[in-house]
């Protein structure tokens, strides 16, 4: 191995790529000081003179530095090249960064990626959990694990995550429909041939308690078993009543490690019992917590005792890789998912312009105004949801020559199906439409009142409800069949072009039934609702998304590229995210899909003998028939509006000096509405400027008095909350720090501090409310690694 070491530095880790299963050797103390380069050992003993990695049975891939992600794998057959040689912006949150920051969830890991914004949902869909926007465009249906879609609506814990890749811009060629702004691909932990036993415990501010285990056991010459487990309980620092309790388990087993055929079976289950936080209202264009005249404390939680968000999510994944020879490799990835959710939340509404009083609406309750004889929407409906999904992706990679041209062809099919069933509930208003009491904005009372849930077709429930289209029960499905083919052609060793397309046929159907007025006319009550027949909505679309790229690789450490890519999001695609994925507007169903096009030019570099990676990119992203979310009903709507986001993105990651690692990003955006009544205004939720920085220094490695100290900054400029640009949330600025001490080879103690300045930031954003981020917090952690 010594012949592969540069600059006199020892290797950090050797990653064995054997038939597709990656096994990472554990770093020794002082790991931040080590660096190495890539090595390939073809099975037939030959090398490809043009630089393509041969398809041997056993290969060794030595990572230069964990914070230099240029040579990180995309870990799927449809994206065979590493990050550096993929012609698109890809931000990687590596395992070492997740570990140093003690990131407990996907949302916390994505704080390191510019252009990612969290949003909240409401209405009959009751969306919450992981709801992200990439470059300002919704990506709640674009979260993947190892290249397969995760349809669940829940907060994803990080206990089974190895790293996170964010592919910026349209990616329908690889991932299928959706991916207007990009895709978030979680790389999961998989079995290795090295026995390993790890565990850690964290505790600290906000009644935070967390424990995880990681056990990897070799069970044969070519097989291994791995078990990940997690238990987590915490309140939210700086917020009243909101909390999260969850546990999870992720066993996996791999066969054929180091052979031509590798099979990995993974199961992931997570159970969550949470109290949702729908934040604080926005009045006069600003959150009420920002207005000195009100003096509302950041901890005020405007909800009720019945609010809850309970979910159970399970996914079973089977991944197969077979290497025929150095020319052909076959992948087949199969996943089943089962998701259930029981949800109810309350929403605050200011009673006057000064918001000195407010009403916190019961979910599903219609406040009757006797003078006007009408009701007001009471916010998100409580509901119970049951969903399941299936996806199978098969791909064949072929590496061959035609004359002096070298080709890498990837072709295959993608089939996915998702079904959702739900029933919306209301709160029994026995007592002749009890009025919702006024609440003091400064001292809200969550137990001021409450009603028991009831079915839509029983008792007094129907008298006070406002279901989607007046029908509480619904069932729908989405079915997508996709075929893809693309070819990367090397004209010379340093010049290549890539082009291809994907065809998808998207079919969706949705039915909603049941009615407030199922009782007789005499029993309809003061609202006088009439019986309602079942409604059916359906849509079928065939779409083609092309892509084309030009890559210049003048040497082994530098890549220049230009790329064009497109994506399509059909109506009805958000099957599990809303009560009515296809919603009629003015009696008509808008069936035209949302389309986006990306133009991007950039460069990626791996510098200082692979110790440091850097990227720069300029892009323009155009979107037509932009989708938006109705702030009252929470449904996804097609607006017909054109939007454009263009800008610059920079990143830097790796080791500057021995023992000193850094990762930094910056994004400059110009987000504009290009048509409609808000032409020329900023796209909501998209900042003009955003930056992150994290750095850590390892001192005295191998000594009894060793320590690692670090910290970082996350900054996001203030953003508009609506397309009319009448409401705005201020900038986010967060300072975090980290210090650790290695007791011996197996034990490490560390301390993380978050939001050291205790600044009032806002994480989740929506049109008429925002959610305050946690305040200053400290977490201690004890880690064991054998």
């Amino acid at each position: 191995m010594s012949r592969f070491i540069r600059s006199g530095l020892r290797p950090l880790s050797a990653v064995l790529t054997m038939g597709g299963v990656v096994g990472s050797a554990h770093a020794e103390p002082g790991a931040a000081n080590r660096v190495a380069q890539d090595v390939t050992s073809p099975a037939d003993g030959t090398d490809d003179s043009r630089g393509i990695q041969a398809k041997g049975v056993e290969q060794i891939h030595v990572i230069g530095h964990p914070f230099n992600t240029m040579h990180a794998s995309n870990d799927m057959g449809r994206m065979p090249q590493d990050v550096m040689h993929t012609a698109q912006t890809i931000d990687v949150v590596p395992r070492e960064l997740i570990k140093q920051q003690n990131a407990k969830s996907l949302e916390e890991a994505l704080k390191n990626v510019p252009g990612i914004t969290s949003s909240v949902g409401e209405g009959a869909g009751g969306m919450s959990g992981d709801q992200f926007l990439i470059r300002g465009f919704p990506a709640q249906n674009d979260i993947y694990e190892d290249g397969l879609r995760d349809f669940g609506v829940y907060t994803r814990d990080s206990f089974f995550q190895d790293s996170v890749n964010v592919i910026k811009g349209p990616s329908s060629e690889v991932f299928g429909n959706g991916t207007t702004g990009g895709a978030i691909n979680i790389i999961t932990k998989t079995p290795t041939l090295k026995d390993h036993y790890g565990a850690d415990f964290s505790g600290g501010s906000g009644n935070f308690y967390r424990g995880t285990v990681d056990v990897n056991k070799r069970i044969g010459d070519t097989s291994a078993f791995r078990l990940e487990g997690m238990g987590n309980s915490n309140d939210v620092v700086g917020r009243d009543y909101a909390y999260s309790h969850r546990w999870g388990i992720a066993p996996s087993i791999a066969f054929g490690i180091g052979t031509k055929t590798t099979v990995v079976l993974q199961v992931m289950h997570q159970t969550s019992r949470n109290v949702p936080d729908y934040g604080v209202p926005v009045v006069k264009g600003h959150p009420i917590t920002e207005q000195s005249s009100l003096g509302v404390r950041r901890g005020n939680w405007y909800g009720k005792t019945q609010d809850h968000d309970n979910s159970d999510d399970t996914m079973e994944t089977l991944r197969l890789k077979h290497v025929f020879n150095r020319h052909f490799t076959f992948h087949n990835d199969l996943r089943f998912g089962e998701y259930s959710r029981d949800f109810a939340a309350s929403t605050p509404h200011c009673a006057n312009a000064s918001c000195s009083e407010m009403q916190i609406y019961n979910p599903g309750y219609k406040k009757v105004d006797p003078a006007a004889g009408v009701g007001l929407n009471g916010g998100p409906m409580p509901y119970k949801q049951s969903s399941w999904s299936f996806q199978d992706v098969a791909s064949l990679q072929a590496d061959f020559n035609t004359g002096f041209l070298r080709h890498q062809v990837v072709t295959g099919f993608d089939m996915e199906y998702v079904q959702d069933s739900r029933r919306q509930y209301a709160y029994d208003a026995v007592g002749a439409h009890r009025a919702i009491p006024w609440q003091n904005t400064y001292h809200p009372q969550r137990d001021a009142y409450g009603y028991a849930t009831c079915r839509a077709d029983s008792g007094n429930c129907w008298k006070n409800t406002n279901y989607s289209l007046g029908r509480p029960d619904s069932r729908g499905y989405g079915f997508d069949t996709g075929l893809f083919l693309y070819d990367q052609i090397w004209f010379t060793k340093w010049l290549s072009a890539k082009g291809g397309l994907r065809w998808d046929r998207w079919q969706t159907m949705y039915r909603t039934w049941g009615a407030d007025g199922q009782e007789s006319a005499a029993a309809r009550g003061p609202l006088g609702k009439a019986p309602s027949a079942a409604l059916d909505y359906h849509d079928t679309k065939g779409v083609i998304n092309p892509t084309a790229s030009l890559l210049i690789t003048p040497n082994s450490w530098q890549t220049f590229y230009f790329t064009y890519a497109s994506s399509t999001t059909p109506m009805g695609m958000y099957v599990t995210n809303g009560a009515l994925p296809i919603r009629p507007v003015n009696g008509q169903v808008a069936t035209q899909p949302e389309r986006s096009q990306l133009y991007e030019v950039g460069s990626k570099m791996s510098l200082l003998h692979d110790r440091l990676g850097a990227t720069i990119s300029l892009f323009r992203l155009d979107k037509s028939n932009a989708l938006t979310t109705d702030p009252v009903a929470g449904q996804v709507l097609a607006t017909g509006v054109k939007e454009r986001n263009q800008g610059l993105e920079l990143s830097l990651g790796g080791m500057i000096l021995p023992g000193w690692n850094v990762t930094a990003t910056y994004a400059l955006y110009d987000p504009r509405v290009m048509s409609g009544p808000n032409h020329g205004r900023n796209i909501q939720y998209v900042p003009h400027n955003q930056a992150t920085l994290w750095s850590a220094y390892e001192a005295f490695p191998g000594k009894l008095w060793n320590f690692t100290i670090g910290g970082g900054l996350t900054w996001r400029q203030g953003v508009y909350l609506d397309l009319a640009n009448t409401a705005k949330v201020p900038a986010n600025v967060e300072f975090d720090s980290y210090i650790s001490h290695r007791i011996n080879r197996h034990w490490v103690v560390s301390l993380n501090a978050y939001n050291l300045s205790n600044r009032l930031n806002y994480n989740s954003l929506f049109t008429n409310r925002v959610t305050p981020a946690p305040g200053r917090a400290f977490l201690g952690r004890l880690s064991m690694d054998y």
Side-chain angles (χ1 to χ4, degrees):
M1 178 81 64
S2 61
R3 71 186 179 93
F4 303 121
I5 308 306
R6 299 179 177 177
S7 306
L9 299 174
R10 293 171 291 172
L12 171 66
S13 61
V15 180
L16 303 180
T17 307
M18 302 177 178
V21 177
V22 176
S24 177
H26 296 283
E28 299 177 359
N33 294 328
R34 300 162 200 171
V35 64
Q37 66 177 18
D38 296 346
V39 182
T40 301
S41 300
D44 58 5
T46 64
D47 276 327
D48 189 323
S49 61
R50 294 186 178 93
I52 189 171
Q53 199 175 69
K55 296 299 171 190
V57 175
E58 181 170 334
Q59 302 168 354
I60 297 178
H61 177 69
V62 183
I63 298 175
H65 189 273
F67 286 88
N68 175 12
T69 60
M70 290 299 96
H71 295 302
S73 169
N74 289 302
D75 202 40
M76 68 180 98
R78 288 161 288 161
M79 296 185 73
Q81 300 292 333
D82 61 10
V83 169
M84 182 172 176
H85 297 95
T86 301
Q88 203 161 342
T89 298
I90 301 178
D91 292 301
V92 179
V93 185
R95 173 176 50 189
E96 289 299 317
L97 182 58
I98 293 174
K99 184 184 300 183
Q100 285 189 7
Q101 294 181 347
N102 196 9
K104 285 80 63 183
S105 66
L106 176 61
E107 181 177 4
E108 290 184 14
L110 291 177
K111 285 170 55 178
N112 298 282
V113 179
I116 297 286
T117 307
S118 295
S119 66
V120 296
E122 56 176 347
M127 296 188 297
S128 59
D130 290 333
Q131 301 286 333
F132 301 112
L133 300 101
I134 303 177
R135 290 175 173 172
F137 301 141
Q140 62 261 44
N141 210 42
D142 299 320
I143 300 176
Y144 299 80
E145 291 178 11
D146 300 317
L148 296 174
R149 201 184 299 265
D150 181 355
F151 289 94
V153 183
Y154 62 104
T155 299
R156 292 160 179 82
D157 196 278
S158 64
F159 75 101
F160 64 101
Q161 300 172 5
D162 187 74
S163 61
V164 181
N165 292 13
V166 180
I167 298 92
K168 298 286 187 65
S171 306
S172 286
E173 167 209 342
V174 175
F175 296 103
N177 286 325
T179 66
T180 303
I184 299 168
N185 187 38
I186 299 167
I187 309 300
T188 63
K189 299 175 182 178
T190 53
T192 76
L193 290 178
K194 179 179 176 61
D195 288 349
H196 164 65
Y197 308 93
D200 66 47
F201 173 79
S202 299
S205 305
N207 296 316
F208 187 95
Y209 302 97
R210 178 182 176 86
T212 65
V213 296
D214 180 2
V215 177
N216 187 91
K217 179 64 178 177
R218 180 171 180 165
I219 57 177
D221 292 340
T222 63
S223 57
F225 174 80
R226 189 164 187 171
L227 177 67
E228 307 280 342
M230 171 274 301
N232 189 103
S233 177
N234 67 276
D235 299 335
V236 179
V237 176
R239 297 290 290 160
D240 298 340
Y241 304 119
Y243 65 77
S244 174
H245 301 323
R246 60 182 183 266
W247 66 269
I249 188 170
S252 57
I253 189 168
F255 302 97
I257 302 175
T259 70
K260 288 189 173 183
T261 302
T262 305
V263 178
V264 180
L265 174 63
Q266 299 170 281
V267 178
M268 192 289 296
H269 174 83
Q270 180 178 314
T271 291
S272 301
R273 299 293 182 261
N274 307 324
V275 169
D277 189 353
Y278 268 60
V280 299
V282 173
V283 295
K284 297 181 179 179
H286 301 281
I288 60 173
T289 44
E290 293 294 325
Q291 302 184 42
S292 57
S293 60
L294 290 175
V296 176
R297 56 187 290 269
R298 70 190 295 172
N300 280 5
W301 179 80
Y302 300 102
K304 292 299 173 187
T305 53
Q306 60 263 32
D307 293 358
H308 62 272
D309 184 2
N310 302 331
S311 63
D312 293 276
D313 304 276
T314 305
M315 290 183 291
E316 303 90 8
T317 305
L318 181 66
R319 302 169 65 192
L320 166 70
K321 178 180 180 181
H322 177 69
V323 180
F324 292 98
N325 49 48
R326 67 189 305 264
H327 298 292
F328 295 98
T329 303
F330 175 74
H331 295 262
N332 193 88
D333 299 327
L334 172 67
R335 170 172 295 162
F336 291 91
E338 301 90 34
Y339 316 97
S340 66
R341 196 176 187 202
D342 184 354
F343 181 88
S346 302
T347 55
H349 294 264
C350 293
N352 47 49
S354 65
C355 203
S356 58
E357 287 187 306
M358 66 171 58
Q359 287 186 316
I360 303 173
Y361 285 105
N362 264 4
Y365 180 80
K366 246 194 171 184
K367 175 184 176 291
V368 176
D369 183 347
V374 297
L376 301 176
N377 193 313
M381 304 290 297
Y383 68 87
K384 292 183 179 180
Q385 174 187 15
S386 177
S387 311
W388 66 273
S389 66
F390 159 86
Q391 185 176 12
D392 185 75
V393 182
S395 63
L396 178 67
Q397 176 184 331
D399 297 289
F400 58 92
N401 292 357
T402 57
F404 70 93
L405 300 177
R406 180 164 59 90
H407 298 262
Q408 184 175 76
V409 175
V410 176
T411 185
F413 73 86
D414 182 353
M415 181 180 298
E416 66 180 44
Y417 178 89
V418 57
Q419 179 174 295
D420 179 78
S421 300
R422 70 178 66 199
R423 159 158 284 191
Q424 298 178 73
Y425 288 80
Y427 285 89
D428 197 340
V430 174
H433 310 301
R434 272 193 289 167
I436 298 175
W438 296 107
Q439 288 277 344
N440 186 299
T441 300
Y442 311 100
H443 306 289
Q445 302 178 46
R446 65 170 182 161
D447 55 353
Y449 69 102
Y451 305 124
T453 57
C454 54
R455 288 169 53 91
D457 54 359
S458 63
N460 291 286
C461 250
W462 62 271
K463 297 178 182 177
N464 300 280
T465 53
N466 189 28
Y467 301 109
S468 295
L469 303 180
R471 295 157 178 82
D473 297 303
S474 59
R475 180 180 295 115
Y477 73 84
F479 180 52
D480 183 38
T481 303
L483 301 174
F484 53 90
L485 170 67
Y486 60 86
D487 184 10
Q488 185 167 357
I489 305 173
W490 281 262
F491 304 101
T492 68
K493 183 178 180 179
W494 54 270
L495 177 64
S496 66
K498 178 181 176 181
L501 54 86
R502 173 171 173 139
W503 171 84
D504 282 275
R505 181 182 184 273
W506 174 259
Q507 178 181 337
T508 186
M509 189 282 292
Y510 219 77
R511 161 171 282 210
T512 180
W513 71 93
D516 299 339
Q518 287 182 350
E519 294 86 349
S520 64
R524 289 176 190 169
L527 297 184
K529 294 190 176 180
S532 302
L535 297 177
D536 293 283
Y537 301 100
H538 58 85
D539 186 28
T540 300
K541 279 288 182 295
V543 297
I544 295 178
N545 290 296
T547 183
S549 304
L550 180 69
L551 291 91
I552 301 174
T553 54
N555 46 55
S556 62
W557 55 270
Q558 196 169 21
T559 297
F560 299 93
Y561 67 89
F562 168 79
T563 192
Y564 164 82
S566 64
S567 71
T568 305
T569 303
M571 288 300 296
M573 188 168 179
Y574 299 98
V575 175
T576 61
N577 285 76
L580 199 60
I582 303 179
R583 181 179 176 84
V585 179
N586 297 325
Q588 299 294 322
V589 177
T591 60
Q592 291 303 310
E594 176 186 75
R595 299 184 185 274
S596 63
Q597 295 179 316
L598 171 72
Y599 305 88
E600 180 172 310
V601 60
S603 176
K604 303 181 183 183
M605 294 161 283
S606 188
L607 308 169
L608 303 178
H609 302 295
D610 285 337
R611 293 198 304 269
L612 191 67
T615 69
I616 179 173
S617 63
L618 293 167
F619 74 92
R620 170 176 286 182
L621 180 57
D622 291 323
K623 183 169 69 167
S624 61
N625 197 33
L627 299 180
T628 189
T629 302
D630 184 337
V632 175
Q635 308 299 339
V636 178
L637 303 175
T639 63
V641 171
K642 295 181 179 179
E643 296 178 345
R644 169 178 292 169
N645 190 10
Q646 56 188 0
L648 164 74
E649 291 194 3
L650 305 170
S651 73
L652 181 72
M655 183 169 63
I656 299 177
L657 294 172
W660 182 15
N661 66 262
V662 64
T663 179
T665 65
Y666 171 71
L668 172 63
Y669 292 152
D670 179 25
R672 297 291 177 185
V673 178
M674 304 304 294
S675 66
N678 296 306
H679 181 267
R681 300 188 186 275
N682 285 7
I683 301 174
Q684 61 193 121
Y685 312 132
V686 188
H688 281 294
N689 292 275
Q690 191 171 3
T692 68
L693 172 66
W694 180 266
S695 182
Y697 179 74
E698 184 179 12
F700 311 110
K703 303 295 185 181
L704 181 63
W705 50 88
N706 73 87
F707 66 89
T708 300
I709 187 169
L713 164 72
T714 303
W715 171 62
R716 183 195 71 208
Q717 195 173 15
V719 298
Y720 289 103
L721 299 174
D722 59 341
L723 289 177
N725 294 175
T726 60
K728 192 173 185 179
V729 68
N732 271 13
V733 182
E734 181 176 329
F735 295 94
D736 302 331
S737 65
Y738 162 77
I739 187 170
S740 71
H741 168 67
R742 181 172 287 278
I743 301 171
N744 55 39
R745 182 180 178 87
H746 304 292
W747 293 87
V748 177
V749 61
S750 60
L751 176 68
N752 286 85
Y754 306 96
N755 195 10
L756 283 168
S757 65
N758 202 33
R759 179 183 172 90
L760 177 54
N761 294 318
Y762 300 92
N763 278 350
S764 298
L765 311 177
F766 202 61
T767 306
N768 55 1
R769 68 177 59 85
V770 294
T771 304
R776 184 189 297 117
F778 299 91
L779 290 183
R781 180 172 58 170
L782 180 65
S783 302
M784 176 199 77
D785 187 354
Y786 282 89

